[in-house]
Amino acid sequence: MLRFLLRKTGYGLLVLLGVVTLVFFLFNVLPGDPARLTLGQRADVSSLENVRKELHLDQPVGMQFLLYLNDLSPLGLHETNEANTNFSYLPLIKFNSGKTLLLKAPYLRRSYQGKKPVWDMLMEALPGTLLLAAAAMIFATIVGIGLGILAAVKQNTWLDTGSVFASVLGISAPSFFAGIVLAYIFGFLLSDYTGLHMTGSLYDIDPFKGRVLNGRNLVLPALTLGIRPLAIIVQLTRSAMLDVLHQDYIRTARAKGLASRAILLRHALPNALNPVLTAVTGWFAELLAGAFFVEYIFGWKGIGKITVEALDKYDFPVVMGAILFTAGIFVLVNILADLLYGAIDPRIRLD
């Protein structure tokens, strides 16, 4: 198990290195002067030069990339006075050159527009994204497994056909299109009956009460984000249940006179959950990335919304940090999924 975990972690680090390389060089060829984006168009020449030096823009691109890796790495060489203002750290080895080897948190640099550390911005937005992804996944899992079981038990009936047809529609509909349709129908046309709004975050700002919790704003974005994984889970559950229901031990259980409900819940469903579990864990990671445009459409405060807004303002450190942060979560969730999959099914050897 330890060897498997180390191997998966190594693969994950290679993936992250590839993402860092791609993101850095992609955003270094985009138009826009980071120094002017930071200080504004009316900044004087000396201020621009100071910012370019601070951002290492006076260095060759290769050196800029190495310095960016040094900022991201948990172990890095930094001047102590620089580290004091940017991130928390633990000094390990001090060199005569004035540099110190630090054990530190990854430094994603600062926003061009708000001057805030990108890490702090992402941490503020992360709870909203996690809540949205978790609500969408819970909705998709409960409804998807239920419809999948129903379709398998009622095979070749209108319930089966309707579930499969609805799942095909759910897979085919892009999230941004489904979000616009749901927002228009339930948040605008039927708003008086549903009590839902087209846009809104978890907290509303009341001029007298301050921040007010409004859970209704979670409904539409969670439904929108959960449609595609729900469709996949329906088809996976139906296929796995049909396969399990034709196994010999199920026929034996029926011959013994066990109730149909007991056969389904105690014998068939646990053995059909492995592919579903893999889909659920994998989709949770994808939902964190797929929430970008859903959050923007519904005005939901999360990582996706601040990323799209930062891209619109050419605030590249925020965009780069959000992409790297999401990639890290994706890798971590996939490692946990592999471990969980092996723990549930002892027949799988993790060697």
Side-chain angles (χ1 to χ4, degrees), residues 86-106:
N86 292 330
F87 45 77
S88 57
Y89 65 93
L90 177 65
L92 298 178
I93 304 175
K94 191 170 184 177
F95 298 95
N96 293 329
S97 61
K99 298 281 187 178
T100 305
L101 180 64
L102 306 177
L103 178 64
K104 60 184 180 62

Side-chain angles (χ1 to χ4, degrees), residues 107-299:
Y107 176 48
L108 298 175
R109 300 189 174 175
R110 292 178 178 270
S111 165
Y112 291 158
Q113 303 295 326
K115 312 298 187 296
K116 292 181 60 176
V118 173
W119 180 264
D120 293 345
M121 296 176 64
L122 295 177
M123 288 298 100
E124 289 177 7
L126 180 61
T129 298
L130 288 177
L131 176 62
L132 177 58
M137 203 68 250
I138 290 171
F139 159 71
T141 302
I142 295 175
V143 178
I145 290 177
L147 290 178
I149 294 173
L150 184 64
V153 173
K154 303 294 183 180
Q155 186 182 14
N156 298 326
T157 65
W158 69 270
L159 289 172
D160 182 23
T161 306
S163 298
V164 172
F165 178 72
S167 67
V168 171
L169 286 180
I171 295 172
S172 305
S175 294
F176 65 88
F177 175 75
I180 294 172
V181 172
L182 289 177
Y184 179 70
I185 293 176
F186 297 102
F188 180 70
L189 293 180
L190 302 178
S191 178
D192 293 338
Y193 305 100
T194 62
L196 303 176
H197 304 290
M198 293 184 66
T199 59
S201 194
L202 183 61
Y203 290 95
D204 291 332
I205 304 300
D206 187 278
F208 302 103
K209 300 180 180 178
R211 292 200 340 155
V212 178
L213 180 67
N214 192 347
R216 291 180 298 178
N217 290 335
L218 177 63
V219 175
L220 289 181
L223 290 178
T224 302
L225 200 59
I227 286 176
R228 296 195 72 197
L230 184 150
I232 296 290
I233 291 172
V234 168
Q235 295 204 4
L236 284 175
T237 304
R238 177 184 179 276
S239 177
M241 285 294 293
L242 287 175
D243 181 61
V244 169
L245 289 174
H246 289 90
Q247 297 295 321
D248 290 338
Y249 67 90
I250 296 296
R251 286 193 287 266
T252 302
R254 285 173 177 161
K256 289 181 177 181
L258 291 179
S260 299
R261 184 174 180 179
I263 293 174
L264 283 175
L265 299 181
R266 296 180 185 176
H267 299 281
L269 184 58
N271 290 285
L273 280 182
N274 280 333
V276 179
L277 177 64
T278 304
V280 168
T281 51
W283 265 102
F284 183 76
E286 292 188 25
L287 287 181
L288 295 176
F292 276 37
F293 291 104
V294 173
E295 289 180 2
Y296 190 72
I297 289 170
F298 289 99

Side-chain angles (χ1 to χ4, degrees), residues 320-336:
M320 294 167 67
I323 293 174
L324 297 178
F325 187 78
T326 305
I329 292 179
F330 194 92
V331 169
L332 179 62
V333 169
N334 276 280
I335 292 175
L336 293 177

Side-chain angles (χ1 to χ4, degrees), residues 75-92:
L75 286 174
L77 286 172
H78 292 269
E79 294 181 3
T80 306
N81 58 353
E82 172 192 355
N84 280 332
T85 60
N86 292 330
F87 45 77
S88 57
Y89 65 93
L90 177 65
L92 298 178

